[in-house]
Amino acid sequence: MDNSYDAEFEIRKHAIISFLQGNLTQKQIYESLNKNRYWFEYWFQQYQRLGIEGLRTKKQGYPKGKSRKYSTRLINEIVNIRKRLEENSREYYYGAERIVQEFINLGYSKNVIPSVAYIKKVLSQQGCVKETKLKNYTPLKGYPESFLESVGLLCQIDFIGYKRIHNSNYPIHFLALAYRELKYGYIWRIIAERSSIIMPLLFEFWQNNPKPTVAQMDNDWAFAGSGSAKGTISHMARFLLAVGIVPLFIPEASPWRNGAVEGLASIFSRKFWQKHEFNSLAHIDKELKVFNHRTKAYKIERLNLDLSKYERIPKKRSFSKKLITSYKFKDSDIIYFIRLGRSFNRYTGVKVLNYKITIPDEFLNHYILIKLHITSGRVFLYQETEDKQLIEIKKSKSKLKI
């Protein structure tokens, strides 16, 4: 009989005998074995019906925990590959898809390599995966997910919380960009969180990588501009429009709406920053270059991406301040905002460029998509319905002074 079955039999026999001898209570017994009351009561009834032999598990079908298709050696190889990838300081991805790639690199034939689903199952059974419990939350209505999926290539831009190294008191800042559709991104170390610093970096990046249709950002002053002046278009928004990208600002205090870039920031923190002990900025820059290269290469290989079909900023163009200061808005230039309907004293409204716009009270605590036509100052407000349709809920009568 299989050793695992014998071991379970001995555990049950020990539990029942201990109870019959009066050494321990039921609760003390099943808690010491990390079992529950129902487990004890079931096997005690089996003992009363059939005696000691009733505590044995009948071997039915294929033994639990054994694979019909894959050998124990292959299962051990999955675990060993995972450990090797985790221990390699320059490996930042070691999920099931990455393990499949490693099997290929090791020369395994396709009919031997286990499926992604099976590798995930093995990793879970072997305790290689840490489960993340999601907090319960009540979703608010009308967030324009379908609209965001339809706008074309969308990238998200955000700052990563500053870091420090042990021999310096100065904060170290990082900028992150992630493509939602392409599933890859890039991270820069920057001197400070200023638009004047990040715009040249993005300009050069989009000369060598796909230029997005829409750039999604939060409402940080470096992105959105002044928090008090009315009708001011930020330098960042001007820059994006000048290179043919539509700016989109997510709801205030809602970082989770930038899920792609937040995910990249999480990988950066867990698999880059916590994995190395940095002693200088040069050391950070050296390893960050490797991190960015491997992130892009991994995603391109995994998703079989063809980046050549996407538009880029022409290399003959160069970045300068005049690109922003001398840019004249076109009739086609628009900016999107996503806002949550809020209560302003006696009315419900949303805030755009520090202007308050009233909306029907029925849209309190509902998400509103706002389209601002810059040259005309006209504002159009929409909500996405449950059947994923955008409905116009208001067209502003007055024009915003830009």
Side-chain angles (χ1 to χ4, degrees):
M1 184 173 288
D2 191 283
N3 290 335
S4 62
Y5 289 95
D6 288 340
E8 284 295 316
F9 169 74
E10 292 299 327
I11 291 171
R12 296 161 190 157
K13 185 170 74 170
H14 171 73
I16 300 303
I17 291 175
S18 296
F19 176 71
L20 293 174
Q21 290 176 345
N23 297 332
L24 298 168
T25 65
Q26 287 187 24
K27 186 174 182 180
Q28 288 172 331
I29 292 169
Y30 63 69
E31 284 186 346
S32 68
L33 297 173
N34 198 25
K35 306 290 185 181
N36 56 42
R37 176 169 60 88
Y38 304 103
W39 175 89
F40 183 89
E41 289 177 353
Y42 173 81
W43 289 110
F44 187 69
Q45 290 173 6
Q46 290 292 97
Y47 168 78
Q48 289 177 319
R49 289 176 53 244
L50 303 170
I52 287 292
E53 288 302 312
L55 301 179
R56 295 189 184 276
T57 302
K58 292 183 179 179
K59 195 171 181 181
Q60 297 177 346
Y62 208 76
K64 185 178 180 181
K66 297 290 184 179
S67 171
R68 294 178 184 269
K69 183 177 178 181
Y70 303 114
S71 65
T72 302
R73 185 183 67 81
L74 201 62
I75 292 172
N76 291 336
E77 184 68 358
I78 292 172
V79 176
N80 291 334
I81 289 174
R82 168 70 175 226
K83 289 179 179 178
R84 287 201 302 271
L85 293 173
E86 285 184 326
E87 291 168 1
N88 187 339
S89 63
R90 287 194 166 187
E91 283 290 349
Y92 305 107
Y93 297 91
Y94 32 78
E97 294 89 351
R98 179 67 183 85
I99 291 173
V100 168
Q101 289 181 3
E102 195 64 16
F103 269 113
I104 296 171
N105 295 339
L106 292 171
Y108 282 78
S109 61
K110 289 185 178 180
N111 61 331
V112 173
I113 298 174
S115 66
V116 169
Y118 183 76
I119 292 175
K120 288 181 178 179
K121 180 180 177 182
V122 169
L123 294 177
S124 178
Q125 290 175 340
Q126 300 297 322
C128 300
V129 180
K130 295 179 181 178
E131 294 185 3
T132 303
K133 293 184 178 179
L134 299 176
K135 295 181 179 179
N136 293 327
Y137 71 98
T138 303
L140 297 168
K141 293 183 178 180
Y143 199 81
E145 279 293 345
S146 295
F147 167 78
L148 295 177
E149 291 172 1
S150 69
V151 294
L153 187 60
L154 183 146
C155 80
Q156 299 173 354
I157 305 169
D158 200 2
F159 297 113
I160 297 177
Y162 69 82
K163 311 289 184 184
R164 295 181 189 273
I165 52 179
H166 71 278
N167 58 351
S168 173
N169 293 323
Y170 287 90
I172 304 169
H173 303 276
F174 295 91
L175 173 72
L177 176 149
Y179 293 99
R180 197 168 85 157
E181 178 187 352
L182 301 180
K183 309 294 184 186
Y184 84 90
Y186 200 90
I187 293 177
W188 296 264
R189 182 182 66 82
I190 55 177
I191 298 172
E193 296 179 353
R194 291 200 192 104
S195 59
S196 59
I197 293 172
I198 67 177
M199 289 186 296
L201 297 175
L202 294 172
F203 187 90
E204 182 182 2
F205 180 78
W206 287 324
Q207 286 183 314
N208 299 287
N209 291 272
K211 186 184 78 170
T213 308
V214 173
Q216 180 174 300
M217 302 158 286
D218 63 19
N219 298 274
D220 188 285
W221 64 270
F223 301 137
S226 173
S228 57
K230 289 186 175 182
T232 302
I233 304 295
S234 68
H235 282 183
M236 182 67 177
R238 284 178 178 268
F239 160 69
L240 292 171
L241 291 168
V243 296
I245 299 172
V246 177
L248 184 148
F249 295 96
I250 62 173
E252 293 149 330
S254 303
W256 60 90
R257 295 298 180 185
N258 267 345
V261 76
E262 291 293 331
L264 179 62
S266 175
I267 292 171
F268 169 83
S269 296
R270 291 183 290 108
K271 299 182 180 180
F272 177 82
W273 190 260
Q274 295 176 15
K275 206 168 188 178
H276 299 275
E277 188 171 338
F278 296 106
N279 50 37
S280 68
L281 296 181
H283 185 198
I284 294 172
D285 293 341
K286 179 182 176 182
E287 293 299 330
L288 189 56
K289 186 176 181 180
V290 175
F291 173 83
N292 284 322
H293 172 75
R294 295 211 169 185
T295 297
K296 183 176 179 179
Y298 170 67
K299 295 295 185 179
I300 289 175
E301 183 177 355
R302 176 187 167 188
L303 301 174
N304 194 25
L305 298 176
D306 177 14
L307 302 184
S308 63
K309 64 182 181 180
Y310 294 100
E311 184 184 355
R312 288 167 169 73
I313 296 176
K315 294 209 171 182
K316 62 182 180 181
R317 293 185 68 180
S318 58
F319 179 83
S320 68
K321 289 183 179 179
K322 287 185 177 180
L323 179 69
I324 298 111
T325 56
S326 64
Y327 178 70
K328 294 182 179 180
F329 294 120
K330 303 172 185 174
D331 291 340
S332 59
D333 283 345
I334 58 174
I335 300 178
Y336 286 107
F337 301 84
I338 302 174
R339 293 291 183 259
L340 190 64
R342 297 166 51 194
S343 178
F344 294 104
N345 295 326
R346 296 183 179 180
Y347 67 90
T348 301
V350 291
K351 221 174 180 183
V352 176
L353 299 180
N354 296 309
Y355 285 102
K356 293 177 182 177
I357 303 172
T358 60
I359 59 174
D361 290 336
E362 290 82 357
F363 294 101
L364 177 66
N365 294 328
H366 285 235
Y367 285 112
I368 306 299
L369 175 68
I370 304 160
K371 180 166 69 172
L372 168 65
H373 289 264
I374 298 176
T375 54
S376 68
R378 298 297 301 273
V379 177
F380 299 83
L381 291 83
Y382 306 89
Q383 189 185 46
E384 188 166 292
T385 61
E386 292 183 359
D387 58 355
K388 302 180 180 180
Q389 299 296 317
L390 278 183
I391 57 168
E392 185 179 293
I393 63 171
K394 183 173 182 178
K395 185 188 300 182
S396 64
K397 295 179 181 179
S398 58
K399 300 178 181 180
L400 302 188
K401 294 181 180 180
I402 307 297

